[in-house]
Amino acid sequence: MSLWLTDTVLRGPLLGSILMSLCTALVGAITLMRKKALIGETLSHATFPGVAIGMLIAGYNFPNKEGLTFVCILLGAFISALCAQFFIEKLLKYREKSDVALCYILASFLGAGVLLVSFIQQAHAIWYRTIQVFFYGQAATMTDFHVVIYAVLSLCVCFVITLLYRPIKAVCFDPVFSQAIGIKKNWVFQILSVLLSLAIVIGIRCAGVVLITGMLIAPAIVSRCLTKRFSSFLIVSSCVGVISSALGNYITTIPVNSGLSLHYIPTGPSTVMVASILAFLALLLSSRKGLLPKLFRRWKFQKNCLLENLLKAIWKESTVNFKHILKWNLATPWMVFYALKKLAHQGWILKEKGIYRLTDDGNKKAAYIVRLHRLWELYLAQNLGGAVEHIHHSAEEMEHLITPDIEAKLTKVLFNPTKDPHKQPIPSKELL
């Protein structure tokens, strides 16, 4: 680790990428919470003409001064992003849809930037190569000077977010309420717009105009899958951004053999790819919103429904065999076989000579399921005015979801009934 901080070649890219990721992750999390993620893509491309104009100003007025050139380009990109936001707001006031406004501004500003860059390419090839650094990103050539500039800008972003944390939280979750308690939401929105433009400008030197949106959104996606509180959301998002930058820089030090020679992966794209992979894993494995845990919970619920339906069916029939179960059950034979094995393992059914019957515990469990089913039918018919012939299907679904607390409330509301709407007896709770 000490080598990364002492080596001038490694220190600039590492610290610059970390500062960039910290800033973009914080602002990107707020942007995602406001459901304005697509505006980041528009503004990143809208900075391109500003980069070209900044290069022209610096090239003609400050030749051979790399520091002033860098500042001019950042300033030009920042002003260009602010102009893009201004025109987006104007288009929205003219009742244009948000996607139309964003696409129009993106295409217009990017087209203007390409025209300017094509002129620069023909007239000043060296300036053109400098502009390409900002379009595709080139973190590997960052120096301590870039780190100082990024540190100042990142501190400004963090300071503003910390200072306005409560107003930002209020306008993100409930703009109407925030205005009612005296928060000037329009001013907060304007400040957030400036912060978004600043975060994008900070990131284009490292990740480029094309890829900077990934560092805005990917850490926020990971954080949203892992957290519930807004403060934790911001902290985790910034941590994911920092980790992505650190891993991205480490990957760039690993040579890749292409068969002819050794090559190194660019820092910006590798950082974005690490963040994207972390976002993919979070969407896949997160316990809150992950696809695999969600599929597992669905499978577990379906399995529980099958077990309870089998218990209820055997309770009504007294004894059944495997072929009889397959006639009325829509599950596959192997699922039914597994469910019967599970019920036998839990001690709810017994199998004797191919015939299944309930044990005492299984009989109580099945009677309780039937009780929930018939209580819900009676509630639908008596309290909600549901037609008797249409309430069975709803009860078939709800019997698996009713908790003991809800069952107690239903019993109280219905005055401990003994008959369902079909005049069938409701198993008594005292006998279970």
PDB file of all heavy atoms in Angstrom, residues 7 27 73 87 147 172 216 249 285 333 360 371 391:
ATOM      1  N   ASP A   7       4.840   6.209  -4.843  1.00  0.00           N
ATOM      2  CA  ASP A   7       5.194   6.221  -6.260  1.00  0.00           C
ATOM      3  C   ASP A   7       4.363   7.281  -6.977  1.00  0.00           C
ATOM      4  O   ASP A   7       3.132   7.237  -6.988  1.00  0.00           O
ATOM      5  CB  ASP A   7       4.942   4.841  -6.868  1.00  0.00           C
ATOM      6  CG  ASP A   7       5.565   4.698  -8.252  1.00  0.00           C
ATOM      7  OD1 ASP A   7       5.470   5.659  -9.047  1.00  0.00           O
ATOM      8  OD2 ASP A   7       6.126   3.634  -8.545  1.00  0.00           O
ATOM      9  N   VAL A  27     -23.301  12.071  -5.300  1.00  0.00           N
ATOM     10  CA  VAL A  27     -24.266  12.805  -6.117  1.00  0.00           C
ATOM     11  C   VAL A  27     -25.153  11.845  -6.902  1.00  0.00           C
ATOM     12  O   VAL A  27     -26.352  12.076  -7.056  1.00  0.00           O
ATOM     13  CB  VAL A  27     -23.527  13.773  -7.060  1.00  0.00           C
ATOM     14  CG1 VAL A  27     -24.513  14.496  -7.968  1.00  0.00           C
ATOM     15  CG2 VAL A  27     -22.714  14.772  -6.261  1.00  0.00           C
ATOM     16  N   ILE A  73     -10.525  23.600 -19.297  1.00  0.00           N
ATOM     17  CA  ILE A  73     -11.383  22.524 -19.820  1.00  0.00           C
ATOM     18  C   ILE A  73     -12.461  22.154 -18.808  1.00  0.00           C
ATOM     19  O   ILE A  73     -13.634  21.984 -19.161  1.00  0.00           O
ATOM     20  CB  ILE A  73     -10.522  21.298 -20.189  1.00  0.00           C
ATOM     21  CG1 ILE A  73      -9.670  21.616 -21.417  1.00  0.00           C
ATOM     22  CG2 ILE A  73     -11.406  20.083 -20.458  1.00  0.00           C
ATOM     23  CD1 ILE A  73      -8.712  20.511 -21.801  1.00  0.00           C
ATOM     24  N   PHE A  87     -31.519  24.445 -20.555  1.00  0.00           N
ATOM     25  CA  PHE A  87     -32.368  24.182 -21.711  1.00  0.00           C
ATOM     26  C   PHE A  87     -33.327  23.021 -21.451  1.00  0.00           C
ATOM     27  O   PHE A  87     -34.453  23.010 -21.958  1.00  0.00           O
ATOM     28  CB  PHE A  87     -31.508  23.901 -22.939  1.00  0.00           C
ATOM     29  CG  PHE A  87     -30.833  25.122 -23.495  1.00  0.00           C
ATOM     30  CD1 PHE A  87     -29.452  25.208 -23.538  1.00  0.00           C
ATOM     31  CD2 PHE A  87     -31.588  26.190 -23.954  1.00  0.00           C
ATOM     32  CE1 PHE A  87     -28.829  26.339 -24.042  1.00  0.00           C
ATOM     33  CE2 PHE A  87     -30.972  27.336 -24.458  1.00  0.00           C
ATOM     34  CZ  PHE A  87     -29.595  27.408 -24.503  1.00  0.00           C
ATOM     35  N   VAL A 147      -4.906  15.703  -8.551  1.00  0.00           N
ATOM     36  CA  VAL A 147      -5.416  15.250  -7.254  1.00  0.00           C
ATOM     37  C   VAL A 147      -5.803  16.435  -6.381  1.00  0.00           C
ATOM     38  O   VAL A 147      -6.843  16.423  -5.704  1.00  0.00           O
ATOM     39  CB  VAL A 147      -4.367  14.359  -6.549  1.00  0.00           C
ATOM     40  CG1 VAL A 147      -4.809  14.045  -5.124  1.00  0.00           C
ATOM     41  CG2 VAL A 147      -4.152  13.074  -7.326  1.00  0.00           C
ATOM     42  N   CYS A 172     -36.160  14.948  -1.578  1.00  0.00           N
ATOM     43  CA  CYS A 172     -36.044  13.678  -2.305  1.00  0.00           C
ATOM     44  C   CYS A 172     -37.237  12.774  -2.023  1.00  0.00           C
ATOM     45  O   CYS A 172     -37.737  12.087  -2.928  1.00  0.00           O
ATOM     46  CB  CYS A 172     -34.749  12.961  -1.930  1.00  0.00           C
ATOM     47  SG  CYS A 172     -33.269  13.650  -2.701  1.00  0.00           S
ATOM     48  N   LEU A 216     -21.792   7.193 -11.679  1.00  0.00           N
ATOM     49  CA  LEU A 216     -22.893   7.877 -10.994  1.00  0.00           C
ATOM     50  C   LEU A 216     -23.932   6.887 -10.482  1.00  0.00           C
ATOM     51  O   LEU A 216     -24.453   7.038  -9.375  1.00  0.00           O
ATOM     52  CB  LEU A 216     -23.572   8.866 -11.955  1.00  0.00           C
ATOM     53  CG  LEU A 216     -22.881  10.201 -12.229  1.00  0.00           C
ATOM     54  CD1 LEU A 216     -23.593  10.920 -13.359  1.00  0.00           C
ATOM     55  CD2 LEU A 216     -22.851  11.072 -10.982  1.00  0.00           C
ATOM     56  N   ASN A 249      -7.867   0.384 -10.076  1.00  0.00           N
ATOM     57  CA  ASN A 249      -6.457   0.742 -10.202  1.00  0.00           C
ATOM     58  C   ASN A 249      -5.557  -0.472 -10.021  1.00  0.00           C
ATOM     59  O   ASN A 249      -4.514  -0.571 -10.682  1.00  0.00           O
ATOM     60  CB  ASN A 249      -6.100   1.817  -9.172  1.00  0.00           C
ATOM     61  CG  ASN A 249      -6.427   3.213  -9.646  1.00  0.00           C
ATOM     62  OD1 ASN A 249      -5.602   3.895 -10.232  1.00  0.00           O
ATOM     63  ND2 ASN A 249      -7.669   3.639  -9.410  1.00  0.00           N
ATOM     64  N   LEU A 285     -27.773 -11.067  -5.788  1.00  0.00           N
ATOM     65  CA  LEU A 285     -27.629 -11.786  -4.517  1.00  0.00           C
ATOM     66  C   LEU A 285     -28.139 -11.035  -3.293  1.00  0.00           C
ATOM     67  O   LEU A 285     -28.193 -11.624  -2.209  1.00  0.00           O
ATOM     68  CB  LEU A 285     -26.149 -12.122  -4.291  1.00  0.00           C
ATOM     69  CG  LEU A 285     -25.461 -12.942  -5.385  1.00  0.00           C
ATOM     70  CD1 LEU A 285     -23.978 -13.078  -5.090  1.00  0.00           C
ATOM     71  CD2 LEU A 285     -26.119 -14.312  -5.522  1.00  0.00           C
ATOM     72  N   PRO A 333     -45.407 -34.546 -10.683  1.00  0.00           N
ATOM     73  CA  PRO A 333     -45.340 -35.733  -9.808  1.00  0.00           C
ATOM     74  C   PRO A 333     -44.163 -35.692  -8.832  1.00  0.00           C
ATOM     75  O   PRO A 333     -44.308 -36.070  -7.666  1.00  0.00           O
ATOM     76  CB  PRO A 333     -45.212 -36.891 -10.801  1.00  0.00           C
ATOM     77  CG  PRO A 333     -45.872 -36.398 -12.044  1.00  0.00           C
ATOM     78  CD  PRO A 333     -45.571 -34.930 -12.099  1.00  0.00           C
ATOM     79  N   ASP A 360     -52.232 -37.144  14.319  1.00  0.00           N
ATOM     80  CA  ASP A 360     -52.978 -36.216  15.169  1.00  0.00           C
ATOM     81  C   ASP A 360     -52.499 -34.774  14.963  1.00  0.00           C
ATOM     82  O   ASP A 360     -53.309 -33.843  14.865  1.00  0.00           O
ATOM     83  CB  ASP A 360     -52.812 -36.623  16.643  1.00  0.00           C
ATOM     84  CG  ASP A 360     -53.529 -37.933  16.950  1.00  0.00           C
ATOM     85  OD1 ASP A 360     -54.444 -38.290  16.179  1.00  0.00           O
ATOM     86  OD2 ASP A 360     -53.168 -38.577  17.952  1.00  0.00           O
ATOM     87  N   ARG A 371     -59.794 -23.706   8.828  1.00  0.00           N
ATOM     88  CA  ARG A 371     -60.401 -22.636   9.629  1.00  0.00           C
ATOM     89  C   ARG A 371     -60.071 -21.259   9.027  1.00  0.00           C
ATOM     90  O   ARG A 371     -60.953 -20.413   8.874  1.00  0.00           O
ATOM     91  CB  ARG A 371     -59.898 -22.727  11.064  1.00  0.00           C
ATOM     92  CG  ARG A 371     -60.304 -21.536  11.947  1.00  0.00           C
ATOM     93  CD  ARG A 371     -59.774 -21.699  13.361  1.00  0.00           C
ATOM     94  NE  ARG A 371     -60.000 -20.477  14.124  1.00  0.00           N
ATOM     95  CZ  ARG A 371     -61.166 -20.161  14.699  1.00  0.00           C
ATOM     96  NH1 ARG A 371     -62.209 -20.980  14.581  1.00  0.00           N
ATOM     97  NH2 ARG A 371     -61.305 -19.029  15.373  1.00  0.00           N
ATOM     98  N   ILE A 391     -66.008 -16.175  -3.814  1.00  0.00           N
ATOM     99  CA  ILE A 391     -65.058 -15.909  -2.728  1.00  0.00           C
ATOM    100  C   ILE A 391     -64.095 -17.065  -2.482  1.00  0.00           C
ATOM    101  O   ILE A 391     -63.102 -16.902  -1.771  1.00  0.00           O
ATOM    102  CB  ILE A 391     -65.807 -15.581  -1.421  1.00  0.00           C
ATOM    103  CG1 ILE A 391     -66.713 -16.759  -1.021  1.00  0.00           C
ATOM    104  CG2 ILE A 391     -66.596 -14.286  -1.565  1.00  0.00           C
ATOM    105  CD1 ILE A 391     -67.442 -16.529   0.280  1.00  0.00           C
TER     106      ILE A 391
END
